[in-house]
Amino acid sequence: MSFVAVSEDSDFPIHNLPYGVFSTAGNPRPRIGVAIGDQILDLSVIKHLFTGPVLSKHQDVFDQVGLHATSWLLDLLQMTPGRCSFPPISDKRYVPHGNAYHRFTPRMLTFIPEDPSRCRALHAFFVGPGNNFGEPIPISRAHEHIFGMVLMNDWSARDIQKWEYVPLGPFLGKSFGTTISPWVVPMEALMPFAVPNPEQDPKPLPYLRHDRPYTFDINLSVTLKGTVVELEGVSMARTVGKQNSKYMYWTILQQLTHHTVNGCNLRPGDLLASGTISGPEPESFGSMLELSWRGTKAIELGNGQTRKFLLDGDEVIITGHCQGDGYRVGFGQCAGKVLPALSPA
C-alpha cells in the first residue's frame, strides 16, 4: 500500500508508477515526475535521495532512470511521507519529450486539411539504453532496450494520402500529426500482464525468433467525440471501437530487433510505434478506415449525426489499461482534436 490514497479505478496505482515530464503553473520548469493516483511525485525534489544516477536533465530520463529506480520508488512510496512534492495531476502541463521520434507533444492539437480521414489506435514504446551505429540489437537482449510504453494515435490525411499512394506511397498524408498519451508506463508494471505470443506461420527468420512472452493483455478503447455546430456546439461521444493489444502479430521485441538489424542506431528516448491494433470482430477494428469500411459505412454518433470521416471539431480519445485483481494499470488519455486547417500566410 502507498501512503498516497489511490482509488481502485485509477490508472496509476502503486503497481504502475509511470514516468512523465511535466510543469505546473506555479513552477514552469520542466521536470521528471511519477504519477501516483491523481498526484505527481516530483523527482527533482528527492533526487538527492537517489543512490543511482542523478536526475538532472529531463531529456535524459530514459537513459538515467531504469527499472532499479522503479523498485526504489516503490519502497519510498510505502514509507512514511517525507519531504516530497505532490502537485495534483489536474494542475499539470505536459511538455514534449526531448529526442522523441517526431518530437511529439503528449496532447497535440492536430491541424489537417479539408476532409480529414481517420485515426489509428496503436501502442508505442520508448527506447532505453539504445545501441551504437552498426551494432544490431539481438532478439535475446531486445528487452534490455525497451523502457516503457504509451498509447499512440497515428493520424492520416485521407485526401492527401489518396493521391500520394499512386506515385509515391504514404508520405505527407502520414506526417502531419501524431498524439501520444502523457505517461510512460514502465515495462516492469506491464510484465504481470504478459500472455503467450501468437503462433507465427510461417516461422520468422532466425534472428526474429524468441520464446519470451512479450505480448500484453491491454484493453483498448477508442471514443469519438463529435461536435454539432448546427446545434450550438452540442457534443456527443460514442465508443466506436474496443481492441486488445494481445492480437498483435509481431512482438515489440521483434519490432526493435528488426529495426536495428541493418545497423541502425537507436538513442534513449526514441519512439517506435506498432501497427494498427485490430481484433477479429468489426467492433474491434482499430482505425476509422476499417470502422467505416473505406467510407462506405456510416458510424452513428447520436442526434442523427454520423461519421465516415472525421470533421473539424471532432475529438478522438484512446484509453488503455491492464486489469489486475482489485487494481488497474493504465496509460491515461491519448486525446487529440481536429482543428480547421490554417490559412496560408
Side-chain angles (χ1 to χ4, degrees), residues 86-104:
F86 291 94
I89 285 183
S90 59
D91 188 39
K92 68 190 179 302
R93 289 189 302 153
Y94 298 114
V95 298
H97 296 286
N99 201 28
Y101 193 43
H102 275 300
R103 299 199 176 274
F104 302 122

Side-chain angles (χ1 to χ4, degrees), residues 275-340:
T276 303
I277 298 177
S278 292
E281 304 298 330
E283 58 270 18
S284 64
F285 291 162
S287 73
M288 282 289 288
L289 186 69
E290 295 171 331
L291 288 166
S292 67
W293 208 246
R294 296 182 179 272
T296 63
K297 176 185 174 183
I299 299 172
E300 299 285 342
L301 291 184
N303 274 342
Q305 294 293 309
T306 61
R307 292 289 189 275
K308 293 182 179 179
F309 302 99
L310 300 178
L311 302 178
D312 289 346
D314 288 349
E315 184 176 15
V316 177
I317 303 169
I318 302 174
T319 58
H321 73 276
C322 304
Q323 187 59 54
D325 185 9
Y327 72 96
R328 57 189 285 166
V329 170
F331 295 81
Q333 287 191 350
C334 174
K337 179 179 287 189
V338 179
L339 298 183

Side-chain angles (χ1 to χ4, degrees), residues 5-40:
V6 180
S7 63
E8 285 193 4
D9 60 351
S10 171
D11 277 350
F12 312 123
I14 199 169
H15 312 77
N16 191 353
L17 302 182
Y19 295 91
V21 177
F22 78 103
S23 65
T24 59
N27 183 356
R29 181 177 61 86
R31 53 212 190 269
I32 302 169
V34 170
I36 174 70
D38 60 358
Q39 300 184 69
I40 303 171

Side-chain angles (χ1 to χ4, degrees), residues 53 105 107 109 146 163 196 202 234 271 327:
T105 304
R107 186 176 174 86
L109 296 184
I146 298 175
W163 176 83
V234 173
L271 179 66
Y327 72 96

Side-chain angles (χ1 to χ4, degrees), residues 93-208:
R93 289 189 302 153
Y94 298 114
V95 298
H97 296 286
N99 201 28
Y101 193 43
H102 275 300
R103 299 199 176 274
F104 302 122
T105 304
R107 186 176 174 86
M108 178 182 291
L109 296 184
T110 314
F111 299 87
I112 56 184
E114 186 178 0
D115 294 327
S117 73
R118 63 185 176 107
C119 57
R120 298 200 300 158
L122 313 96
H123 59 53
F125 59 94
F126 279 101
V127 174
N131 61 307
N132 295 322
F133 182 77
E135 297 180 2
I137 297 175
I139 195 75
S140 61
R141 303 194 63 179
H143 66 284
E144 300 173 10
H145 295 265
I146 298 175
F147 177 82
M149 294 173 64
V150 294
L151 304 178
M152 177 172 166
N153 187 351
D154 180 23
W155 300 80
S156 299
R158 186 64 170 156
D159 48 356
I160 295 176
Q161 187 173 329
K162 184 177 180 181
W163 176 83
E164 285 183 333
Y165 259 137
V166 178
L168 301 172
F171 192 57
L172 296 180
K174 293 295 302 173
S175 66
F176 67 92
T178 300
T179 311
I180 64 172
S181 53
W183 294 101
V184 186
V185 178
M187 297 310 299
E188 186 178 40
L190 296 172
M191 289 313 299
F193 305 97
V195 296
N197 302 322
E199 189 73 24
Q200 294 180 321
D201 184 23
K203 274 191 175 183
L205 293 174
Y207 77 94
L208 289 177

